Amino acid sequence: MKQTAYLLDPETTIFRAVELPAGISFKPIYDLIGCRLIEVVRFDERHSLFADEEGLHDGLTAFTIFEGYPQPLAGKLVLVGGDGSEPYHSPLLSLEDASAHFKCCRPVLDPVFA
């Protein structure tokens, strides 16, 4: 049996449903995000958001503002159902409702002429 998760890619600004194998392994989430270290952010009392812990770095071309979170999140984000105290499951809210909490941004550089 497969689970659904929502994947947000700030580079393309595409937020879509993806399938994850059922179980307690976090490997599929690491693979989706493409990182070595994940950070778990509480989305609400029934959902968790996974982000790249080391995503904020020099040369960043896109990031995401998550409503109510104090700093930007870099890299791809994965939203799942569950608060982390049990194996994750499919989100309990629609993709459209979840997407209202995110804003994808691209840094703008102000050139300096000497």
Side-chain angles (χ1 to χ4, degrees), residues 3 19 30 38-39 49 77 79 107 113:
Q3 301 287 339
E19 285 190 356
Y30 279 98
I38 57 174
E39 174 182 4
L49 185 64
L77 305 176
L79 178 68
F113 298 98

Side-chain angles (χ1 to χ4, degrees), residues 92-104:
L92 302 173
L93 71 165
S94 72
L95 186 65
E96 293 78 21
D97 289 342
S99 68
H101 296 271
F102 301 102
K103 182 177 179 183
C104 294

Side-chain angles (χ1 to χ4, degrees), residues 69-91:
Y69 195 67
Q71 68 184 34
L73 298 168
K76 296 176 182 175
L77 305 176
V78 175
L79 178 68
V80 297
D83 63 3
S85 64
E86 58 189 41
Y88 58 81
H89 53 80
S90 298

Side-chain angles (χ1 to χ4, degrees), residues 12-23:
T12 63
T13 68
I14 295 175
F15 196 41
R16 63 186 172 99
V18 295
E19 285 190 356
L20 294 176

Side-chain angles (χ1 to χ4, degrees), residues 31-87:
D31 292 345
L32 280 172
I33 295 174
C35 68
R36 298 175 304 154
L37 186 62
I38 57 174
E39 174 182 4
V40 180
V41 175
R42 189 172 188 122
F43 181 83
D44 62 20
E45 57 279 340
R46 301 182 310 166
H47 296 89
S48 297
L49 185 64
F50 293 91
D52 183 351
E53 174 70 31
E54 303 169 318
L56 291 175
H57 55 77
D58 290 340
L60 189 65
T61 58
F63 58 90
T64 303
I65 302 295
F66 170 48
E67 179 180 281
Y69 195 67
Q71 68 184 34
L73 298 168
K76 296 176 182 175
L77 305 176
V78 175
L79 178 68
V80 297
D83 63 3
S85 64
E86 58 189 41

